[in-house]
Amino acid sequence: MLGKKILCLFRKYSSSAALLEGPALGHGGCRVELDPRLLLSNPTNLKGLTLAQTKVAHALLFKTHDLCSNIYVANNLIVSYSDCSSMDCAFKLFEEIPLRNLVTWNLMILGCNKNSLYGYSLRIFCQIHNFGANMDEFTYGSVLSACGSGSLANAAAIGLQVYGLVWKNGFVSNGYVRAATIDLFAKCGKVDDALRVLHDVDNCENVVCWNRVVSGAVKNMDHLVALEVFAQMCRCGTLSPNSFTFSSALTACAAVEELELGKCIHGCVIKRGTGGDVYVGTAIVDLYAKSGAMLEAVKQFKLMRVLNVVSWNVIISGFTKKGDCVSAFSVLNEMRKSGEELSSFTVPNVLSACTNPNIFKEALQIHCWTYKVGLNIDPIVESSLINTYSRIGAVSLSEKVFVETGKMKQVGVWANMISAFVQSGSYEKAIIFFQDMLENGINPNMYIVSSVMSMIDSLALGRQVHGYSLKLGMLSEVSVGNSILTMYSKCGDLEDSLKAFEQLERKDYVSWTSMIVGLAENGCADKAIRLFQDMGFEESIPDDRILAAVLNSCSALRSLKLGREVHGFALRSWSGDEQAIVDSALVNMYSKCGDLDSARIVFDRTRIKDQALWSFLISGYSRCGQVEEALELFHDLLLSGLKADAYTCSSILGALAISSESGVGRQLHGYTIKVGLETEVSVGSSLVMMYSKSGSIIDCHKAFQQITDLDLVSWTTMIASYANNGKGSEALQLFDRMKRSGVEPDAVTFVGVLSACSHAGLVDEGYSHLQSMIRDHGIKPGQKHYACMVDLLGRAGRLEEAKTFIDSMPVKPAILVWETLLAACKVHVSNIYAEAGEWDHALKIREAMGLRRKEAGWSYM
């Protein structure tokens, strides 16, 4: 008996006698008279009956008691129920057959397979095995087909067990069984196992088995394996590839763009006369189209005697890939005229050619045409229209397409619409659509979550989406995990970014790259380098982004040793195309670490020098005070046809500020005006500093006024310039302006402010600003701030107060503070000699102090 588990599912009838209930109806509801003698004499008369007729025949045979005595009739009745998709009746009949034979069992498995009841097919097979009944090739082949349906859990493992029985019972050489086994493993993605089954029999001459391996490899994207198996098949000599073989092999050639091999296979097709097959012909056209040989593709397309929708789609896709939208539209028109019914894949093929606004009209025409043929409601067509309008910059039309057929859509359509908003920068609408999607009860997929995460720059919103993805169980998806850690990194939360990285179940190359680059760009250079050291390179080689990020981290740490080690690693293991990016990072690293010789070697060997490469080396020379070399390189930069950027100009101006090349500085100022860089804050601040060093306070003010977006550095530079050139009152007024503008001062700003008070002799104001620095801005004074106060008191002649101030400092006075006090004392003694008319003594003291004959508070203007 089959068992109670199967039987309990079909208790609609207490016995097969219940099938007698109801009229015996034929086609159109008419009663049908069936002669049991005819059924018994020729049971094949049971085939082709309707369900009602089958039930009548069942009832007649049941009444005459011939059902139990004639297993052949019972088997044919099972087939009839199976054909009518009434497996409940088939199971009921099966239970009541007293003497089942192997055919009966096999027919039940076949019936379950036919009606997609694959789990019951397996159960019946297990029942046969438990009974110890003999099984034949049809039993094994049918249950292996059930396993290959894709609906059974652990299908590959079950298939291996069944195949073990095949070996044990001597059916391994049977072509039907082996073909089913190969098909099973291929569908489970186990092409290696499929190959082993193929070669379990020496000199296999079953073409079906070979074809199953080739097609299975193609479906699993193992195209090179498919071509190798095809080559082995051809070398056998006794095998003759058929249309199925050729179409699979040609598909593999097209996928890997092996045009020459494909031409050879094309020759074999012509030789064997199989080119008339529509699938082979389509595969040939696809080969030439995907290889870019559109003239030959069109030629082969026109030679095809029979065309189907796939053939048309292939030639259209070929023109689309070449960017020939005119030809793609032309073929589409031919297809419509031929009367061929267009599929939902035809429209995306054509629309993918609409990549620029110049063919907006054509895209609109196709959109209108989809309404005419009723394809506008197809999700694939809708998604392609959304993507097309987004690509050509008409996101409003993408949104219109989306709302045309109502809001309740497939998740893929929502994904395309949200992606369109993200790519066009309409982040607010993307968030609104994401929320709308959730309100409609549609769970987002990983693509939607990744798209939304990629645009979020708000930590609060990012945490919400992170929580939602956690609720949906998406964190196991590596793309979602990568987007989460990138979001935290972009929002400056490196701690949570690292936490998200560590919680990834599987880290791919993008995970490592995102984390290392994020750490490097957010000032965590040491962590970026440690993570790079932890990254294994057995299966992958670091790309230019990772190498550049790590080298920039070495630059930030000023670690020449680490930088050289990374450089050596790159020379040994990396040979990427984006060499300029890595070379720029190398020049930057060597320059910032002070190894200008190595920086120049990398610079000179680089064939294509971009703007960054020049800038890094020029700034390196400028930083090290090698002004002549920096200017010479700057001159070469201009001769190369490139324009200097703000970073380059500010670097040279900074070097000129400490040199005596004031004339060159003015020339460079003229160049910045010519190229429109004088308004850049970095350039303007450097000009202010340069003119300040030369005492040209008027030019300082002019340069400052030219800056469009003043930042803390530019305000601070101008304040210090006023202070250093004896314009204390102006410096303090500028400081008040800065605070009113909303810019928060820092410790460096207060050094300039206190210095201004010192030069202007404003003691009370100095005390006030020192207290405000602590009270209002929470800045802890440093040695320079205290030195400025001592200088202020010393200039005012309040030396005892200066000494008392030093004694009351909350930190131990540094040498700078004592030197300032001593200098004030010397100035005070010098002034005493001067007031007494003893100029020789006063001059000697000034010369010992290294002072010029310039009164404090004056400027050279």
Side-chain angles (χ1 to χ4, degrees):
M1 303 296 287
L2 181 61
K4 293 182 179 180
K5 284 189 176 181
I6 297 177
L7 189 60
C8 68
L9 297 174
F10 307 106
R11 292 296 186 189
K12 289 175 66 179
Y13 311 106
S14 59
S15 72
S16 64
L19 297 176
L20 292 169
E21 295 178 4
L25 300 178
H27 297 288
C30 301
R31 293 186 64 85
V32 177
E33 297 296 337
L34 296 176
D35 188 345
R37 291 174 298 178
L38 293 175
L39 296 177
L40 288 171
S41 62
N42 188 8
T44 56
N45 290 328
L46 289 166
K47 294 182 179 178
L49 299 180
T50 64
L51 179 58
Q53 291 172 328
T54 305
K55 286 183 177 181
V56 170
H58 187 175
L60 290 172
L61 293 170
F62 183 82
K63 286 180 178 181
T64 59
H65 303 286
D66 292 315
L67 186 62
C68 295
S69 61
N70 195 327
I71 189 63
Y72 184 52
V73 172
N75 288 344
N76 277 277
L77 197 57
I78 287 175
V79 173
S80 186
Y81 277 129
S82 173
D83 290 342
C84 294
S85 300
S86 182
M87 288 305 295
D88 52 349
C89 295
F91 269 105
K92 196 67 180 177
L93 172 61
F94 176 79
E95 279 295 309
E96 297 180 354
I97 299 174
L99 298 173
R100 307 169 190 140
N101 59 14
L102 183 58
V103 174
T104 312
W105 292 95
N106 287 346
L107 288 174
M108 287 300 296
I109 296 175
L110 286 170
C112 289
N113 284 355
K114 183 176 181 179
N115 290 278
S116 302
L117 300 173
Y118 302 109
Y120 291 103
S121 298
L122 181 60
R123 291 186 187 183
I124 295 172
F125 176 81
C126 293
Q127 288 287 331
I128 301 173
H129 178 64
N130 291 337
F131 289 160
N134 293 326
M135 292 178 275
D136 61 10
E137 65 269 22
F138 300 108
T139 317
Y140 291 119
S142 298
V143 76
L144 286 167
S145 295
C147 293
S149 65
S151 62
L152 296 181
N154 302 318
I158 296 171
L160 278 174
Q161 293 178 356
V162 174
Y163 190 59
L165 292 175
V166 169
W167 263 97
K168 180 180 178 182
N169 296 315
F171 287 96
V172 71
S173 61
N174 183 271
Y176 173 65
V177 175
R178 294 175 61 244
T181 309
I182 290 170
D183 190 50
L184 160 65
F185 289 136
K187 287 179 177 177
C188 294
K190 297 182 176 296
V191 179
D192 290 341
D193 288 335
L195 274 170
R196 277 192 284 271
V197 174
L198 176 68
H199 295 302
D200 278 344
V201 175
D202 295 332
N203 302 319
C204 175
E205 296 184 2
N206 189 317
V207 176
V208 175
C209 292
W210 287 90
N211 285 347
R212 292 285 175 86
V213 175
V214 175
S215 64
V218 170
K219 290 174 182 176
N220 284 279
M221 311 299 287
D222 291 329
H223 303 295
L224 296 179
V225 173
L227 292 174
E228 175 59 29
V229 174
F230 174 76
Q232 292 175 13
M233 183 179 181
C234 294
R235 287 195 295 267
C236 285
T238 56
L239 289 170
S240 180
N242 56 23
S243 299
F244 192 84
T245 323
F246 286 127
S247 61
S248 296
L250 287 164
T251 300
C253 289
V256 295
E257 297 186 7
E258 278 284 351
L259 182 57
E260 294 305 316
L261 178 58
K263 286 181 178 180
C264 294
I265 298 175
H266 185 187
C268 292
V269 169
I270 296 172
K271 183 178 179 181
R272 295 180 184 271
T274 55
D277 183 89
V278 64
Y279 298 105
V280 175
T282 301
I284 291 171
V285 174
D286 188 43
L287 165 69
Y288 289 112
K290 286 183 176 175
S291 301
M294 286 308 299
L295 290 176
E296 187 62 29
V298 172
K299 177 183 175 182
Q300 295 302 321
F301 179 77
K302 291 181 177 179
L303 288 174
M304 291 180 66
R305 295 191 296 270
V306 179
L307 295 171
N308 60 14
V309 66
V310 179
S311 312
W312 288 97
N313 286 344
V314 163
I315 197 70
I316 290 173
S317 179
F319 281 121
T320 299
K321 183 180 178 182
K322 293 282 286 185
D324 188 352
C325 57
V326 175
S327 297
F329 283 115
S330 177
V331 175
L332 176 64
N333 289 330
E334 290 181 29
M335 183 179 182
R336 292 169 59 188
K337 292 176 183 177
S338 71
E340 181 68 59
E341 183 178 351
L342 280 71
S343 70
S344 57
F345 295 100
T346 309
V347 176
N349 268 341
V350 180
L351 286 175
S352 61
C354 304
T355 56
N356 62 71
N358 296 330
I359 49 178
F360 173 77
K361 181 180 177 182
E362 287 79 0
L364 210 57
Q365 289 174 349
I366 294 176
H367 188 179
C368 296
W369 173 73
T370 61
Y371 274 97
K372 183 178 179 180
V373 297
L375 284 174
N376 60 303
I377 60 174
D378 187 284
I380 298 174
V381 174
E382 190 177 4
S383 294
S384 65
L385 284 167
I386 289 171
N387 290 335
T388 298
Y389 284 131
S390 173
R391 284 198 304 268
I392 62 180
V395 184
S396 59
L397 288 177
S398 294
E399 187 175 358
K400 186 176 181 181
V401 172
F402 180 84
V403 300
E404 277 173 350
T405 54
K407 289 187 175 181
M408 295 304 292
K409 300 178 180 295
Q410 291 186 3
V411 67
V413 180
W414 286 90
N416 280 281
M417 191 65 244
I418 291 173
S419 177
F421 282 132
V422 172
Q423 291 173 8
S424 65
S426 304
Y427 298 150
E428 186 175 349
K429 279 203 168 183
I431 294 295
I432 292 173
F433 264 66
F434 180 69
Q435 293 170 337
D436 194 19
M437 178 182 181
L438 300 181
E439 290 172 2
N440 278 278
I442 301 176
N443 289 331
N445 58 23
M446 62 178 181
Y447 303 106
I448 294 176
V449 173
S450 299
S451 293
V452 172
M453 278 289 188
S454 69
M455 67 176 178
I456 292 178
D457 55 5
S458 166
L459 198 56
L461 180 59
R463 291 188 190 281
Q464 291 180 24
V465 180
H466 182 186
Y468 193 79
S469 62
L470 179 64
K471 180 181 176 182
L472 292 176
M474 286 188 176
L475 295 188
S476 59
E477 297 290 346
V478 67
S479 61
V480 175
N482 290 343
S483 66
I484 290 171
L485 70 91
T486 303
M487 179 276 296
Y488 282 122
S489 176
K490 185 168 59 176
C491 293
D493 190 344
L494 269 298
E495 183 178 347
D496 280 340
S497 182
L498 269 173
K499 191 181 296 182
F501 174 78
E502 291 167 355
Q503 290 175 349
L504 285 176
E505 294 180 11
R506 182 172 63 88
K507 299 178 179 67
D508 64 1
Y509 196 80
V510 176
S511 314
W512 290 95
T513 302
S514 300
M515 196 67 250
I516 291 172
V517 172
L519 290 169
E521 291 179 348
N522 285 276
C524 298
D526 53 342
K527 291 182 179 179
I529 290 174
R530 283 201 298 271
L531 202 63
F532 175 73
Q533 292 169 338
D534 292 340
M535 182 181 180
F537 300 109
E538 292 81 6
E539 298 181 358
S540 58
I541 299 174
D543 63 6
D544 54 287
R545 287 190 66 205
I546 289 184
L547 289 173
V550 174
L551 287 168
N552 289 334
S553 297
C554 295
S555 303
L557 296 174
R558 298 297 191 271
S559 177
L560 182 59
K561 181 177 179 294
L562 277 175
R564 283 176 173 165
E565 289 176 357
V566 176
H567 188 184
F569 173 80
L571 290 174
R572 289 193 307 271
S573 61
W574 185 74
S575 58
D577 296 329
E578 297 297 329
Q579 185 70 40
I581 298 175
V582 177
D583 284 345
S584 293
L586 282 169
V587 171
N588 181 41
M589 183 273 295
Y590 282 123
S591 298
K592 286 184 177 177
C593 293
D595 188 355
L596 291 175
D597 291 337
S598 296
R600 189 58 187 257
I601 290 172
V602 176
F603 177 86
D604 289 337
R605 76 150 192 224
T606 305
R607 290 174 298 172
I608 302 176
K609 298 177 174 63
D610 60 8
Q611 180 67 57
L613 198 70
W614 290 91
S615 296
F616 289 142
L617 188 56
I618 291 172
S619 65
Y621 281 128
S622 300
R623 194 181 303 108
C624 293
Q626 299 184 28
V627 181
E628 290 184 6
E629 289 83 353
L631 289 172
E632 182 180 350
L633 203 60
F634 180 77
H635 182 257
D636 293 340
L637 165 64
L638 300 183
L639 290 178
S640 71
L642 293 174
K643 289 183 179 180
D645 59 7
Y647 179 74
T648 308
C649 292
S650 61
S651 297
I652 296 184
L653 287 168
L656 292 172
I658 58 175
S659 70
S660 57
E661 300 286 346
S662 58
V664 177
R666 290 187 181 277
Q667 291 179 28
L668 188 54
H669 187 182
Y671 174 80
T672 62
I673 295 173
K674 180 180 178 181
V675 296
L677 292 176
E678 79 281 4
T679 60
E680 294 287 335
V681 65
S682 61
V683 174
S685 299
S686 297
L687 285 168
V688 169
M689 185 183 300
M690 182 190 71
Y691 285 125
S692 172
K693 293 290 184 178
S694 63
S696 303
I697 197 65
I698 294 177
D699 290 326
C700 276
H701 181 72
K702 288 180 179 178
F704 179 77
Q705 292 292 98
Q706 290 175 335
I707 302 173
T708 52
D709 297 318
L710 295 168
D711 64 356
L712 177 61
V713 174
S714 52
W715 285 103
T716 301
T717 303
M718 192 63 221
I719 290 170
S721 297
Y722 275 135
N724 294 334
N725 285 275
K727 301 288 183 178
S729 299
E730 289 85 345
L732 295 178
Q733 291 174 7
L734 192 65
F735 178 64
D736 289 336
R737 275 181 57 197
M738 184 191 85
K739 290 190 293 183
R740 287 197 300 272
S741 72
V743 178
E744 184 71 15
D746 65 358
V748 180
T749 312
F750 275 103
V751 171
V753 170
L754 294 175
S755 178
C757 294
S758 175
H759 282 81
L762 303 173
V763 176
D764 292 339
E765 286 82 352
Y767 276 117
S768 175
H769 284 298
L770 183 66
Q771 292 169 1
S772 173
M773 172 184 172
I774 303 170
R775 181 185 64 248
D776 301 330
H777 302 284
I779 300 173
K780 185 179 180 180
Q783 296 290 343
K784 287 187 178 180
H785 300 100
Y786 292 125
C788 286
M789 286 300 301
V790 171
D791 184 58
L792 169 60
L793 295 171
R795 286 174 183 268
R798 297 158 69 165
L799 298 178
E800 290 294 332
E801 187 177 346
K803 176 62 171 59
T804 303
F805 177 84
I806 293 174
D807 292 338
S808 64
M809 283 172 56
V811 295
K812 182 180 179 180
I815 296 176
L816 174 65
V817 176
W818 291 112
E819 286 179 342
T820 304
L821 178 62
L822 290 174
C825 292
K826 289 181 180 180
V827 170
H828 186 66
V829 173
S830 171
N831 289 340
I832 292 175
Y833 278 122
E835 290 173 2
E838 298 184 15
W839 295 105
D840 291 340
H841 288 86
L843 182 59
K844 288 179 180 179
I845 291 175
R846 286 182 176 274
E847 289 176 348
M849 294 170 60
L851 296 176
R852 294 180 295 170
R853 302 194 65 173
K854 168 184 175 299
E855 294 297 327
W858 287 22
S859 73
Y860 296 106
M861 289 172 40

